[in-house]
Amino acid sequence: MKKIMTTGLALALTSMLAACGANNAATNNTNTNNAAAPEATAAGDRAELVISTWGFSEDFFKESVYAPFEKEHNVKIVVEIGNNAERLNKIRQGSSDVDVVYLSDYYAQQAINEGLFETIDSSKIPNIQNIYDIAKAPLGPEYGPAYTIGRLGIAYNPALTQGDITTWSDLWTKFDKNLAMPAITATAGPMVVDAASLAAGNADFNEDTAFTKLKELDKNVVKYYSQTSEYVNMFGQEEIAGGPIMEMYFKDLQAAVPDAKFVAPSDGAYAVMNTVNVVKGSDNKELAEEFINWQLSEEVQTASAKAKVDSPVNTKVVLTAEEAAGVTYGTDVIGKLRKLDMSFVNEHITEWTDRFNREIGG
C-alpha cells in the first residue's frame, strides 16, 4: 500500500544567511531594482497584474503586500476574491485574466494535473533559497512554492473532555457526543482520513481501516464542518468540546473560551500549505515571478507573521514568543509536520468522498 505521507519529516532546513544592513536586506529580499516595469496599457496608465486569492485580511494585503509592489513596479494590482474551488473553476473556464493565483496545495495539484500553471524560473525567485525546504517545491520543482505553512492539530475545551488530548487516537476516547470533524470535502478532510489510519495503528496508509475507524467515531460527531466559522460558533457556545482545526483559527476559539487548548498531536500535526503560482498564458510571467519573490521576502513574511495573517516560511524571520503565539513557526515545529502526498490524494479523493457519504454520512 502506498504511503500517503512521509512521517516525522526530517527536513533539511535552509541555512540562515548572514545578517545584512536594513537597506541591503530590503534590496535583496524584494529583488525588484533590476526588474523592468511592464509596458503601460495606454498613455499615462499603469499595466495590471491580476491576482486571484482568498478574501481574508484584505486590508493587510493591500497595505503591506500589494501597495509597495505597485509602487516599485509602476503596476496596478487587481484582485479577484473567492474560495479555492470557485477561483480554480474560473481559471478552468478561462473566464478571468489571472496572472498569479493563491491556492491550497490540494487545489494547486489539481491545476497542475490539468496543465493550468506556467512552469516557473526559480532563478527569478531568489527568495526560494531562504525558505524551508518543505515549502520550496511542495508540488514539484517546476511549480510555485508554499508561501505559508499552517498546521492542523486539535483544539479542545478541557472542561468538556475526558482528560488532556495528546494524540490523534484521543479523538476516539476523550470526546463524548461533542466532537466537530472536517467534512470529507474540506481541505482537512483527507488529513482526517489519514489520521484515522494512523489511529488504527497503521505505519502505512490503509484505506479500509481508516474508514472503519471513522465509522466508529461518527456517533460522537455533532457536526462535519465545511466552514471554520461553524466550528468557531459551536465551540464558543459549548455545543462542541473541540476537534481538528488549523492553528491559525485558535485565537478565535480562545477569545470565546479562554481556557481552550491547541495541541499538535505527538504523532504529528499536518502541514497545511498554501501555494502561489503563475497561471498558464499570463502575459506578465516575469512580473508574476517578481511578485512571488516579494511574497517570500523577509519583509513581507515578517509583517504577515506579526499581524497573525500567515505563518512564515522565510527562515530569516525572527519572532518573539509573544509574536509566535498561534503561528506555525520555527525549525522544531516545521520539522515535525506530516505532509500528505497531494498527487495520491487527488487520485483517490472522489472514491473517498463517495465512500464517506455512503458509509458514514454527514
Side-chain angles (χ1 to χ4, degrees):
M1 179 67 67
K2 180 177 178 179
K3 277 192 175 183
I4 194 170
M5 87 302 292
T6 56
T7 58
L9 288 169
L11 299 175
L13 297 171
T14 308
S15 301
M16 296 290 186
L17 301 179
C20 303
N23 291 336
N24 288 337
T27 299
N28 291 336
N29 282 335
T30 59
N31 194 41
T32 59
N33 289 344
N34 296 324
E39 184 177 349
T41 56
D45 292 339
R46 293 181 295 169
E48 293 183 349
L49 184 72
V50 182
I51 295 176
S52 173
T53 188
W54 302 275
F56 68 87
S57 302
E58 291 182 69
D59 289 342
F60 171 83
F61 277 93
K62 181 178 180 180
E63 296 171 8
S64 299
V65 183
Y66 304 149
F69 189 84
E70 288 177 315
K71 182 177 180 180
E72 180 71 26
H73 290 274
N74 189 32
V75 63
K76 178 181 179 181
I77 289 178
V78 177
V79 179
E80 291 192 358
I81 298 296
N83 64 32
N84 283 289
E86 292 168 346
R87 295 184 294 104
L88 179 55
N89 281 335
K90 288 186 72 174
I91 293 172
R92 285 179 175 131
Q93 296 162 4
S95 57
S96 67
D97 296 321
V98 173
D99 297 299
V100 177
V101 61
Y102 292 81
L103 290 171
S104 70
D105 52 357
Y106 169 64
Y107 285 92
Q109 183 65 59
Q110 294 178 37
I112 290 171
N113 293 346
E114 297 171 32
L116 300 178
F117 289 165
E118 294 280 2
T119 58
I120 62 167
D121 181 352
S122 59
S123 70
K124 302 288 181 61
I125 311 174
N127 279 320
I128 283 180
Q129 301 307 312
N130 298 334
I131 67 177
Y132 295 115
D133 283 351
I134 190 177
K136 288 179 178 177
L139 302 175
E142 294 184 322
Y143 298 102
Y147 76 94
T148 184
I149 302 177
R151 59 177 174 175
L152 182 81
I154 302 171
Y156 68 102
N157 181 341
L160 301 178
T161 58
Q162 300 169 20
D164 290 338
I165 310 300
T166 59
T167 68
W168 288 110
S169 61
D170 287 337
L171 292 174
W172 279 259
T173 61
K174 296 183 178 179
F175 291 84
D176 183 16
K177 297 180 176 59
N178 56 5
L179 182 64
M181 295 289 288
I184 187 65
T185 54
T187 299
M191 300 173 189
V192 169
V193 175
D194 180 69
S197 174
L198 189 68
N202 299 302
D204 292 345
F205 177 71
N206 185 295
E207 179 181 321
D208 290 335
T209 57
F211 276 88
T212 297
K213 200 72 175 169
L214 287 172
K215 192 170 183 178
E216 293 174 6
L217 188 63
D218 183 61
K219 65 181 182 296
N220 283 326
V221 178
V222 175
K223 177 74 174 179
Y224 292 97
Y225 69 95
S226 297
Q227 302 292 330
T228 306
S229 58
E230 298 175 299
Y231 184 119
V232 173
N233 290 336
M234 290 188 296
F235 192 89
Q237 296 169 13
E238 297 191 352
E239 296 176 25
I240 60 170
I245 195 169
M246 286 180 60
E247 184 179 22
M248 66 181 291
Y249 299 110
F250 179 62
K251 63 181 183 297
D252 300 319
L253 302 179
Q254 199 167 39
V257 181
D259 292 334
K261 294 184 179 181
F262 177 88
V263 61
S266 59
D267 35 358
Y270 287 88
V272 181
M273 292 191 282
N274 287 338
T275 67
V276 57
N277 275 277
V278 182
V279 176
K280 192 78 170 181
S282 169
D283 293 329
N284 296 313
K285 183 174 185 288
E286 289 189 8
L287 184 67
E289 290 170 336
E290 289 284 351
F291 179 81
I292 294 172
N293 192 59
W294 169 238
Q295 176 66 75
L296 299 178
S297 70
E298 182 182 353
E299 181 177 346
V300 170
Q301 294 269 306
T302 299
S304 61
K306 289 182 176 181
K308 311 290 188 187
V309 170
D310 282 314
S311 297
V313 293
N314 190 307
T315 60
K316 290 183 172 185
V317 173
V318 177
L319 303 177
T320 65
E322 182 179 355
E323 291 167 343
V327 174
T328 304
Y329 166 74
T331 300
D332 291 343
V333 170
I334 299 295
K336 294 175 182 176
L337 294 178
R338 300 172 66 85
K339 179 182 178 296
L340 295 187
D341 178 344
M342 286 302 163
S343 292
F344 181 81
V345 169
N346 274 290
E347 288 173 11
H348 295 276
I349 190 59
T350 299
E351 64 188 73
W352 291 350
T353 300
D354 291 343
R355 185 169 183 177
F356 183 90
N357 291 334
R358 185 174 63 251
E359 298 181 10
I360 301 167

